């Protein structure tokens, strides 16, 4: 290469710019209003949206179809029609997650293993809360006492046991962890309740000694959270969730995830 001559530059690939349609732009604006809490119960009437955005009715209708496909609104027709707003909840995330896992032939034990890794971090977070005595501890104590009174009812005890874990996840101070682990929790709970309904003789907590042991482990976990001991709370939660009986006999090694179970629950 001759001195002073710059090397030839590689041509930069041209990227295709996709301009959003009017309907997509309207849907985006309405989506932001829903997620920010500006719109809580229902969208304005379609005629009002047409006037506000100065577009044709078909563009507004298409925007509403986009939002409905995302699960943010339900459009009702007729004289009492309108677009009812639905704030996204972990259960909806659980359904979408369930569809992804089902498409990959994931098994229930896989979800249990993930919970065993992640939920202990939530237990530690609960124990580290300065306001734990006025927030998470009273809730967990109430659930624990209700569980104690239902030891003779396998299905009711199972429901309360699952709620105990759900409250630990909800009490985590990290919002992202609460949403993501909450979705896994909802997915797992839906499948366990479905299993118990199908086979009451082999339910999650059919054996009385299993219920007693579970209650004792929950009580010790609550104690660590109440004392403000994150390390011990994490250790107890990890030991509790790694129980081989839970991971093999109850969850099984070949029970596959079915997204429809979450939807039906």
């Amino acid at each position: 290469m001759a001195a002073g001559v710059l090397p030839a530059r590689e041509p930069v690939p041209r990227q295709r710019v996709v301009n959003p349609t009017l309907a997509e732009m309207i849907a985006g604006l309405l989506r932001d209003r829903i997620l920010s809490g500006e719109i809580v119960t229902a969208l304005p009437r379609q005629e009002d949206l047409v006037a506000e955005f100065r577009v044709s009715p078909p563009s507004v209708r298409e925007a509403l179809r986009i939002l409905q496909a995302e699960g943010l609104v339900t459009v009702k027709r007729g004289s009492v029609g309108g677009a009812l707003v639905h704030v996204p909840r972990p259960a909806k995330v659980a359904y979408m997650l369930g569809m992804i896992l089902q498409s990959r032939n994931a098994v229930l034990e896989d979800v249990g293993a993930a919970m065993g890794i992640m939920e202990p971090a939530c237990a530690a977070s609960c124990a580290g809360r300065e306001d734990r005595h006025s927030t998470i501890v009273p809730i967990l104590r109430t659930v624990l006492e209700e569980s104690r009174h239902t030891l003779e009812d396998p299905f009711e005890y199972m429901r309360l046991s699952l709620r105990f874990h759900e409250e630990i996840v909800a009490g985590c101070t990290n919002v992202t962890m609460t949403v993501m682990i909450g979705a896994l929790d909802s997915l797992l709970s839906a499948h366990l309740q479905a299993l118990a309904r199908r086979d009451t003789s082999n339910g999650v907590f059919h054996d009385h000694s299993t219920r007693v042991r579970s209650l004792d482990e929950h009580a010790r976990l609550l104690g660590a959270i109440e004392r403000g001991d994150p390390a011990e709370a994490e250790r107890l939660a990890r030991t509790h969730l790694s129980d081989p009986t839970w991971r093999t006999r109850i969850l099984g090694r070949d029970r596959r995830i079915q997204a429809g179970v979450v939807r039906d629950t």
Side-chain angles (χ1 to χ4, degrees):
M1 180 182 300
V5 178
L6 295 176
R9 297 179 63 180
E10 293 290 331
V12 178
R14 297 184 64 182
Q15 295 183 344
R16 181 170 175 264
V17 178
V18 179
N19 293 320
T21 64
L22 275 175
E24 289 169 337
M25 288 190 288
I26 295 168
L29 292 169
L30 294 175
R31 184 188 301 113
D32 288 342
R33 293 179 189 178
I34 292 171
L35 298 179
S36 68
E38 182 181 343
I39 298 178
V40 179
T41 55
L43 294 180
R45 297 180 308 165
Q46 290 191 30
E47 309 90 85
D48 295 334
L49 293 174
V50 168
E52 177 185 353
F53 295 114
R54 300 180 182 179
V55 295
S56 64
S59 293
V60 169
R61 286 195 292 269
E62 180 59 26
L64 295 181
R65 279 192 286 268
I66 292 172
L67 296 176
Q68 185 161 348
E70 295 174 350
L72 291 175
V73 302
T74 299
V75 179
K76 293 189 174 183
R77 309 296 179 186
S79 57
V80 293
L84 301 180
V85 167
H86 307 290
V87 178
R89 300 187 184 282
K92 290 186 178 180
V93 180
Y95 179 52
M96 294 299 298
L97 182 60
M99 288 195 290
I100 294 171
L101 292 176
Q102 182 177 343
S103 72
R104 299 190 179 187
N105 294 316
V107 294
L108 201 55
E109 187 189 17
D110 192 62
V111 177
M115 291 296 298
I117 294 171
M118 293 186 287
E119 189 177 315
C122 288
S125 177
C126 289
R129 292 184 61 156
E130 293 185 359
D131 63 350
R132 63 186 180 280
H133 293 293
S134 61
T135 55
I136 186 64
V137 169
I139 295 173
L140 292 178
R141 187 182 292 120
T142 297
V143 176
L144 186 69
E145 287 307 309
E146 290 179 0
S147 300
R148 198 183 306 278
H149 293 304
T150 61
L151 271 175
E152 303 308 315
D153 185 337
F155 191 84
E156 185 62 14
Y157 180 83
M158 178 199 69
R159 184 186 70 80
L160 289 166
S161 175
L162 293 173
R163 185 184 163 198
F164 186 87
H165 288 272
E166 290 167 0
E167 295 295 352
I168 287 178
V169 174
C172 181
T173 55
N174 185 291
V175 176
T176 302
M177 288 177 63
T178 298
V179 172
M180 298 307 298
I181 303 176
L184 279 175
D185 213 358
S186 296
L187 181 65
L188 187 62
S189 295
H191 280 78
L192 292 178
Q193 292 182 66
L195 284 171
R197 284 193 295 269
R198 287 201 302 267
D199 186 2
T200 55
S201 65
N202 190 32
V204 178
F205 292 107
H206 176 69
D207 183 71
H208 186 271
S209 63
T210 299
R211 300 196 295 277
V212 172
R213 184 173 70 253
S214 166
L215 184 67
D216 178 64
E217 291 176 358
H218 284 182
R220 284 188 283 133
L221 176 54
L222 172 57
I225 292 173
E226 190 167 14
R227 291 193 305 274
D229 190 339
E232 181 66 359
E234 184 171 2
R235 185 190 70 79
L236 289 171
R238 180 165 287 109
T239 301
H240 176 60
L241 292 167
S242 64
D243 185 337
T245 300
W246 161 265
R247 295 280 290 278
T248 56
R249 186 182 70 80
I250 296 174
L251 298 183
R253 295 188 179 279
D254 57 355
R255 291 192 173 109
R256 301 199 177 277
I257 298 297
Q258 299 291 325
V261 171
V262 182
R263 180 198 60 223
D264 296 342
T265 302

